[in-house]
Amino acid sequence: MSRNDTAWQRDLAATSAVTLYSVAVGVGFARVFSGWPFLSDVIVIAVLGHGLSFALRRARVTGWLAVPAVSLALLWVLAFLNYRDTMSGGIVPWSATWDQMRIDLSLVRDQFPTAIAPVAYTAGWATLAGFALALVLVMSDSFAFRAEARGEALVPGGVLFVFIAALGSERLRIASTGFLIAAGVVAVIALRQLHGGRRAPAVTVGRRASLVAPAAIATAVAIAVVAGIVGPRIPGANAEPLYDTKGRGGATNVLNPLVDIRSRLTNRGNVELFRVNADAPAYWRVMTLAEFDGQQFELPRRSLEPVADVEPDPAARRIRQQVQIISLGGEMVPAAADPIAVSGPTPDARMRREPQSRTLFAPEPLQPGDVFEIVSSAPELTADDLRGRTAQAPPDPIYLELPDDLPSVVAETAQAVTAGATTPYDQARAMQAWFRDDSQWTYSTEVQSGHGSNAIESFFRERIGYCEQFSATFAAMARTLGIPSRVAVGFTPGTLSPDGWYSVIGKNAHAWPELWFDGIGWVAFEPTPGRGAPGLEDVTGLPPQQDTSGPDVVGGGAAGSDTLPPNPTTPPTVVQPDDASGGPPTTVRTPSAGDQELPPGGFNPNQGFPFEDEIVDGAAATDETNSFPWRTLVVAGLIALALSTPALLRRARRARAGSLPGREQIVTAWERARTAAIDAGVTGTPAMTPNEWALATATVLPVAARPMTSLADTVDRVAFAPPGAVDLERRGTLGDAVTDDCSLWADQVRRIAVDTMSTPQRVKRYFTDKG
């Protein structure tokens, strides 16, 4: 077999090994994505990226052209995998392709600060993962085959793997790490085989090269077996991390109440938040969000007023409730809609409310054991009642406002879905039925928080989400039809305990849309699959439903104890019924003179709401801005790694050169000095002798004449003397040996050459110099 054939086979073997390593890095995405839909994309990106690089190398295409070509090819692959329907002819990326990619990446950017694994492998997150893998692939391939690195070529992939692990779940932690290490061993051995022959023999005379591949595979398999079997049994393998980088520790201030829904559903799903003793189950509403700016539904800035008894509709249904706080934080008190009377935990509690939404505010942040007595009034509604109503006179224009940049697909879809519906009620039912079609929509909390324009567009395209996306999109669609809408945030009824109390836990967190009907007021609808509001069966056509899956309830209790506060000793009917005069029940409250304005910035979503977030297991709320800035440090670390990699590679090559035979060390030093001289403007031809190069260098770099001449003389003596005639181990003029002298002279020439360069030339040399 010819030498060229051997080189071709070694190059292919090394490319295959590095491709396997890239796939192993991609398998790490199992820590952040559920299932395995991402794996096929990982394999496609790895095989095509490294395969194209291999073909360009064999065609002797320079790296200055090959690296950009591979990068552009991978960008096309990402577009084809995720946005094929936007490409002209399904092949050529068009402006719509880049616009959609930009929108998706913008959405992921907004979601990233609050994202918690696992996330759904949808277009935005798939694109981000693809970009990360493609960047690592290009860097690793360039280091491995253009800079002739070995172990250093694994660094970019290792950094990405660690970054994924820091953000991800515990899924396949040991197995994926073992696979990565095994693939890394194979890649390093293959690269040593490839690059060894170009410098010094990597395999000695007494070692057969044909045994290296089987040995590498056997070593990799052994490491994988040890990692998979022994790893999980190491003491502390499944222990909690020393520092939790995923933001799952203590509670943080809420910037958006809808964001917190997912946190409750995923992280605190089995934590009991409060209990309710009520005449009937209901959705326990905490707040309603009316202002929609295209990015999120928010609480508008409103004045709070003292709670005053409201004269209810005589025909309305009364719901009497007693709410006991367990581990729910903040100042907003959950209650059935609409509260007309309330008493606080103490006789002098100054309860307040926002008049339009009837949101209840306690005078102080909620504490475990607080008890609130509430009476709500809910009209007895039927489908026929609502079908005969208009929806043209909301209490505030804000309930119809839409941003100018709302995607046209929202209005177009609303019109298509409600075609044939002649009343606002029928339009609402048509949209509700469309969202609850299981063949078109999937409920999943793996979708990250977000309900702005980009999130709505993504929601329409991916057809997967949870209550936040369903409710916010429903409300936005209703507004395009001229129906006033808002988004309510609160909880489903919870589980009825034998003692008659409804236990409400984190997984009961919910959001639903409410629409305005003239002469009636706000009416809840339910677009989220698997959910249904009690008491509205005739209106929505849905039976009461809520999430009944998940673990048993765990207590938050006071002071971090697992012992919950006891139920208050109260009669089964928690609020006294109406007196003989038919008036509203008597409640305890302390009026306040005049309206009370919210604190400055109270409802500013960029500053947080005027209440503390949840207190779970006694952990006090902390401000997110005071948490460890690990994201900033990770980004800074990646930038530092990218900037320091060229220097690290040169240092590694210098270290390996020091282990070469003396003659090869001198040749390496000479090439380092000659390359530096050329970069500084010295011109010459391959046919020139070392002394001719020294003369040419002296003309352009007079200061470098002496070290360059000394190095050239040594190279000439070694090159033309019989083997062994020059004692390379004798003490040199500058160092411990002649080889040390050559290395020092080369360094002097390099420093002098760099000093004469302009800043752009120095930057270019820093990233391209192999010496």
Side-chain angles (χ1 to χ4, degrees), residues 327-546:
S327 60
L328 181 67
E331 293 179 351
M332 297 184 183
V333 181
D338 278 323
I340 58 174
V342 59
S343 65
T346 61
D348 60 347
R350 299 164 56 187
M351 300 296 295
R352 298 168 297 160
R353 71 175 179 183
E354 195 280 307
Q356 284 193 12
S357 67
R358 303 284 176 88
T359 299
L360 297 177
F361 286 83
E364 301 291 342
L366 303 178
Q367 299 295 327
D370 284 352
V371 176
F372 299 86
E373 295 186 355
I374 305 166
V375 179
S376 299
S377 175
E380 297 282 359
L381 300 175
T382 66
D384 292 336
D385 292 335
L386 294 174
R387 189 169 282 113
R389 300 284 180 167
T390 59
Q392 300 175 350
D396 193 307
I398 195 174
Y399 298 110
L400 283 169
E401 291 178 356
L402 287 169
D404 294 335
D405 60 350
L406 186 71
S408 59
V409 66
V410 180
E412 294 168 357
T413 303
Q415 291 289 344
V417 169
T418 60
T422 58
T423 70
Y425 172 72
D426 290 326
Q427 289 175 320
R429 284 291 297 266
M431 289 190 295
Q432 178 182 274
W434 181 67
F435 278 117
R436 295 180 69 95
D437 185 350
D438 293 339
S439 65
Q440 295 193 56
W441 298 91
T442 301
Y443 178 89
S444 172
T445 56
E446 293 176 3
V447 175
Q448 298 304 299
S449 299
H451 56 277
S453 298
N454 292 344
I456 289 175
E457 262 193 290
S458 177
F459 183 51
F460 277 137
R461 187 172 66 255
E462 302 295 339
R463 300 295 177 92
I464 181 173
Y466 63 104
C467 60
E468 175 181 342
Q469 288 80 29
F470 282 100
S471 61
T473 305
F474 184 103
M477 290 173 63
R479 291 190 182 189
T480 67
L481 298 172
I483 305 175
S485 67
R486 65 188 188 185
V487 175
V489 180
F491 300 86
T492 55
T495 303
L496 182 60
S497 303
D499 59 5
W501 288 72
Y502 289 93
S503 175
V504 182
I505 63 178
K507 71 180 179 183
N508 297 130
H510 190 43
W512 61 93
E514 294 182 347
L515 304 186
W516 174 268
F517 290 88
D518 298 334
I520 292 179
W522 294 102
V523 178
F525 286 84
E526 188 50 273
T528 304
R531 305 294 185 271
L536 291 176
E537 292 85 347
D538 190 60
V539 172
T540 62
L542 302 170
Q545 294 176 290
Q546 64 178 335

Side-chain angles (χ1 to χ4, degrees), residues 51-72:
L52 178 59
S53 179
F54 171 79
L56 293 174
R57 284 199 309 277
R58 302 315 301 176
R60 299 187 182 281
V61 176
T62 177
W64 291 104
L65 296 177
V67 173
V70 172
S71 301
L72 291 174

Side-chain angles (χ1 to χ4, degrees), residues 124-162:
W125 292 95
T127 303
L128 179 63
F131 270 127
L133 186 62
L135 176 62
V136 164
L137 185 152
V138 171
M139 293 176 64
S140 297
D141 195 276
S142 300
F143 293 161
F145 301 105
R146 299 290 176 179
E148 298 185 4
R150 300 170 186 177
E152 301 91 332
L154 310 185
V155 172
V159 171
L160 177 61
F161 187 87
V162 172

Side-chain angles (χ1 to χ4, degrees), residues 85-390:
D85 56 335
T86 67
M87 301 172 73
S88 178
I91 298 176
V92 181
W94 210 243
S95 59
T97 306
W98 310 123
D99 288 343
Q100 192 59 60
M101 186 180 294
R102 176 186 55 79
I103 289 172
D104 286 342
L105 291 176
S106 176
L107 175 61
V108 170
R109 178 201 62 200
D110 296 338
Q111 294 175 342
F112 196 87
T114 58
I116 299 173
V119 300
Y121 188 68
T122 53
W125 292 95
T127 303
L128 179 63
F131 270 127
L133 186 62
L135 176 62
V136 164
L137 185 152
V138 171
M139 293 176 64
S140 297
D141 195 276
S142 300
F143 293 161
F145 301 105
R146 299 290 176 179
E148 298 185 4
R150 300 170 186 177
E152 301 91 332
L154 310 185
V155 172
V159 171
L160 177 61
F161 187 87
V162 172
F163 183 71
I164 295 171
L167 299 177
S169 64
E170 297 302 308
R171 181 188 181 203
L172 299 177
R173 181 177 65 173
I174 301 297
S176 61
T177 304
F179 181 32
L180 182 79
I181 295 173
V185 171
V186 173
V188 169
I189 293 177
L191 290 173
R192 285 185 177 276
Q193 285 292 99
L194 174 66
H195 300 318
R198 299 177 185 174
R199 298 171 182 172
V203 181
T204 62
V205 177
R207 185 185 302 169
R208 296 181 58 188
S210 61
L211 297 179
V212 173
I217 295 175
T219 302
V221 170
I223 291 174
V225 170
V226 170
I229 297 177
V230 179
R233 292 168 171 77
I234 296 176
N238 296 315
E240 293 296 320
L242 294 177
Y243 176 75
D244 190 350
T245 62
K246 294 181 280 297
R248 300 179 183 179
T252 59
N253 287 337
V254 180
L255 297 181
N256 187 318
L258 287 174
V259 172
D260 193 51
I261 289 178
R262 186 176 186 275
S263 176
R264 293 186 193 277
L265 291 173
T266 56
N267 293 346
R268 304 162 189 166
N270 61 338
V271 174
E272 187 173 30
L273 303 177
F274 60 95
R275 299 189 183 112
V276 183
N277 185 359
D279 294 340
Y283 276 4
W284 316 118
R285 193 175 66 192
V286 176
M287 70 187 81
T288 59
L289 310 177
E291 186 174 343
F292 182 50
D293 62 0
Q295 295 303 315
Q296 59 185 355
F297 277 89
E298 304 170 358
L299 276 168
R301 182 181 295 274
R302 301 292 191 198
S303 295
L304 299 184
E305 66 179 18
V307 175
D309 296 342
V310 178
E311 186 66 32
D313 182 351
R317 175 171 57 104
R318 308 285 183 84
I319 301 179
R320 301 166 173 83
Q321 311 136 72
Q322 188 176 52
V323 177
Q324 181 190 23
I325 303 302
I326 304 300
S327 60
L328 181 67
E331 293 179 351
M332 297 184 183
V333 181
D338 278 323
I340 58 174
V342 59
S343 65
T346 61
D348 60 347
R350 299 164 56 187
M351 300 296 295
R352 298 168 297 160
R353 71 175 179 183
E354 195 280 307
Q356 284 193 12
S357 67
R358 303 284 176 88
T359 299
L360 297 177
F361 286 83
E364 301 291 342
L366 303 178
Q367 299 295 327
D370 284 352
V371 176
F372 299 86
E373 295 186 355
I374 305 166
V375 179
S376 299
S377 175
E380 297 282 359
L381 300 175
T382 66
D384 292 336
D385 292 335
L386 294 174
R387 189 169 282 113
R389 300 284 180 167
T390 59

